Amino acid sequence: MADRRQETLLIDPGGRARIWCRDCGRELTDPISRQRRLGAECDPEPRTGYDRHDVDQDPIPGL
């Protein structure tokens, strides 16, 4: 007997899933925005391209 389930229909075969911003609802195209699910304008973290790095500090005396 043949399988009676319907095949999944894709609107854009081979394309990536469409993702929208959680705050404003616009479609996201930037890879970072797509991961965070927030557009660049809605994201509270700045995107300056500057990678923050912490400097090692000397231990506090007596600890």
Side-chain angles (χ1 to χ4, degrees):
M1 183 174 216
D3 190 10
R4 305 191 97 188
R5 290 183 292 172
Q6 181 179 0
E7 288 186 35
T8 304
L9 300 176
L10 299 175
I11 294 172
D12 184 15
R16 61 183 183 198
R18 296 173 73 182
I19 298 176
W20 288 270
C21 179
R22 288 183 290 178
D23 286 347
C24 66
R26 287 190 283 176
E27 188 173 1
L28 302 174
T29 57
D30 180 50
I32 295 172
S33 297
R34 291 171 60 85
Q35 286 179 338
R36 295 181 182 180
R37 302 217 186 265
L38 286 171
E41 298 84 15
C42 300
D43 195 351
E45 294 183 26
R47 297 186 191 183
T48 59
Y50 173 74
D51 291 332
R52 179 183 159 190
H53 66 281
D54 295 323
V55 178
D56 292 336
Q57 297 180 352
D58 294 329
I60 299 173
L63 291 180

